[in-house]
Amino acid sequence: MPDCVFCKIIAREIPGTIRYEDAEVLAFDDIHPVANTHILVIPKEHIATAKDLTEEHQTVLFKLFVVAKKLAQEQGLAGYKLHLNVDTAGGQDVMHLHFHLLGGEFKTSGGETRV
Ligand code: AMP
Ligand code: ZN
């Protein structure tokens, strides 16, 4: 297994607040939320960045969107953001592909905003 914090959450080697799990996808709260709802939605397969996606990942990529939709419904969000940072130069810190599901009130330096 790569030395990867999200793989360790999948393996329950480090704790996380799990919001959804199936054979291919895991979703858990971001440890530093920037919005009322800030959930990370990840494939269980270690895919480092969106640059590493191939045709084989079509099904799991689709599932990430479906899980995000379900979680947003559960959270009562009328709309939401799905944020994806791609590689270090794109602001990605954890090299395990993840969508940030963001909704509700945002904690910004300029005050609170809503999607
Ligand atoms: P990114 O910059 O897109 O790679 O985002 C990585 C996100 O992972 C950040 O929002 C972090 O707050 C979050 N994060 C890092 N470590 C953990 C952890 N152990 N549990 C939950 N979220 C984490
Ligand atoms: Zn990983």
Side-chain angles (χ1 to χ4, degrees):
M1 186 198 288
D3 186 24
C4 166
V5 63
F6 289 175
C7 283
K8 287 179 178 163
I9 292 174
I10 293 166
R12 305 301 201 272
E13 289 173 14
I14 63 171
T17 302
I18 309 293
R19 298 287 178 186
Y20 177 88
E21 180 167 29
D22 67 25
E24 292 166 303
V25 176
L26 188 74
F28 52 94
D29 285 346
D30 195 292
I31 205 166
H32 294 126
V34 299
N36 279 2
T37 296
H38 189 170
I39 299 173
L40 301 175
V41 187
I42 72 170
K44 283 192 170 174
E45 178 183 346
H46 180 85
I47 304 164
T49 83
K51 286 156 65 173
D52 301 298
L53 288 167
T54 68
E55 297 216 344
E56 288 167 24
H57 299 122
Q58 283 185 54
T59 303
V60 72
L61 193 58
F62 174 73
K63 284 194 74 175
L64 296 177
F65 283 93
V66 173
V67 169
K69 177 186 78 168
K70 282 183 186 155
L71 288 166
Q73 281 170 348
E74 280 174 21
Q75 301 277 320
L77 297 173
Y80 54 95
K81 297 179 190 295
L82 271 183
H83 186 108
L84 174 66
N85 293 322
V86 184
D87 217 336
T88 310
Q92 185 178 355
D93 291 324
V94 177
M95 291 299 146
H96 182 129
L97 177 73
H98 53 281
F99 281 108
H100 298 252
L101 168 61
L102 298 159
E105 299 288 339
F106 277 70
K107 295 156 190 159
T108 63
S109 53
E112 302 272 302
T113 54
R114 175 172 276 278
V115 264

